[in-house]
Amino acid sequence: MNSIIQLSVALPVYNGAKNLKKHFNRIFKECDRKKFKGFIEIIISDNCSTDNTREITYFYKKKSLKKKNLCIKYYSNKKNLGYFGNFIRLPKLATGKYILFFSDDDVPEKGFYSKIYSKINNKNDNTMLIAPIKNSKGYHKTFFGINKVSYIVNRGSPLSGVLLLTKKAKKYKTYLKTLYPHTELYLDYFLKFNSNDLKIRPIIVNVNKQNLSEKLGDRMSRKQDLALLDKVKIIDKFYLKK
C-alpha cells in the first residue's frame, strides 16, 4: 500500500452527534480491516457543538487505535465560524490524495466505501467524481434540457459525495460569502477539470429529513429564499469570468 493516505473523508459538524455516529458505524463496518490500512482518514471539523460530538468522535478515535486501519482527526473551532467558515477550513486539514465531502446527516449505503476504494486506489485523476445521492443518481442530458453546469450547481447543493483531488481543492481561495461555498468550489473545479458520475450502486441517503419550515430554521440558517440567491451569486461570478 502507498504510504500516502489516499482518501480524506471530510465532515463539517455542528450538533450532529446522533447522525455522526451512524456515519462512523458505516465506515468501521466496511473499512476497519487490513485492506484499508493507510487508505482513509476521517476529518471532523467541529463548529463549537453543544451536544456530545466530541465524545462520539473520541470514542471512535480510541476504537480506531486498536487495529490502526483507520485514522480519525478531530478539530474543534475556538468559536462558531458558521457553515461557510467551517467548510472552507476542510481542504486545509486534509492530507489525503483525494478529498470526499460529507454532511454529518448523510450516510452512504453498504458497500459504498469498497466501491470508492476500487475506483481511486493508487490512481491519479483530476476529474471531479460525483457519487449517487438519493434524489440525484446521475446527469441526464435530455432531462428537461438541463445542461452540465445546471447539474453541477444543483447536485452540488447537497455537500455529500463529491470527490476532488485535494491539492487542487486547496488552491481555491476566492470564495464569495454565501451558504454554498461547496457549490462554488465544485463549479470552479468542474469548469477546470470536468466531472464524471461514479457508476456505483450504493447511494447516499439523508437520515435527517426536513420539511420546508424546518429547513428555514435549521443549522444552516437559510433565509426565506432557502439561499437561492446565494446560488445565483455563484453562477454570476463564473458567468462574468467568461
Side-chain angles (χ1 to χ4, degrees), residues 55-197:
E55 289 76 15
I56 290 291
T57 303
Y58 272 92
F59 170 82
Y60 285 95
K61 186 178 176 76
K62 183 177 180 180
K63 185 176 179 180
S64 72
L65 296 175
K66 292 181 179 179
K67 298 181 183 177
K68 299 183 179 179
N69 295 325
L70 299 171
C71 175
I72 297 174
K73 298 178 179 178
Y74 175 81
Y75 300 91
S76 179
N77 298 330
K78 293 181 179 179
K79 65 178 182 178
N80 191 315
L81 304 176
Y83 172 74
F84 174 85
N86 204 24
F87 170 78
I88 64 173
R89 189 176 183 226
L90 286 172
K92 302 172 186 177
L93 301 175
T95 62
K97 181 183 287 186
Y98 292 91
I99 184 168
L100 174 64
F101 295 98
F102 259 102
S103 296
D104 56 39
D105 58 355
D106 286 334
V107 179
E109 293 179 332
K110 181 180 179 180
F112 178 86
Y113 285 105
S114 294
K115 293 293 184 182
I116 296 294
Y117 178 91
S118 66
K119 294 287 184 181
I120 71 169
N121 193 34
N122 293 320
K123 294 179 182 177
N124 192 24
D125 187 357
N126 288 337
T127 307
M128 179 166 69
L129 299 176
I130 303 174
I133 201 163
K134 185 175 182 179
N135 296 322
S136 180
K137 298 182 182 179
Y139 170 65
H140 300 284
K141 187 175 182 180
T142 59
F143 186 68
F144 297 122
I146 193 169
N147 62 36
K148 199 71 177 283
V149 169
S150 299
Y151 169 65
I152 297 300
V153 171
N154 286 288
R155 171 59 186 87
S157 294
L159 169 67
S160 303
V162 176
L163 196 148
L164 316 174
L165 270 180
T166 303
K167 66 180 180 181
K168 303 293 185 184
K170 286 178 183 287
K171 291 182 179 180
Y172 190 75
K173 298 177 181 178
T174 58
Y175 289 97
L176 298 171
K177 193 69 179 290
T178 73
L179 277 179
Y180 290 98
H182 56 282
T183 304
E184 184 178 344
L185 173 62
Y186 297 164
L187 185 54
D188 177 77
Y189 198 101
F190 161 72
L191 293 172
K192 290 175 180 175
F193 306 112
N194 209 340
S195 71
N196 283 320
D197 287 318

Side-chain angles (χ1 to χ4, degrees), residues 202-214:
I203 66 171
I204 298 164
V205 179
N206 185 271
V207 295
N208 186 31
K209 295 180 180 180
Q210 297 174 299
N211 59 36
L212 182 59
S213 62
E214 288 172 331

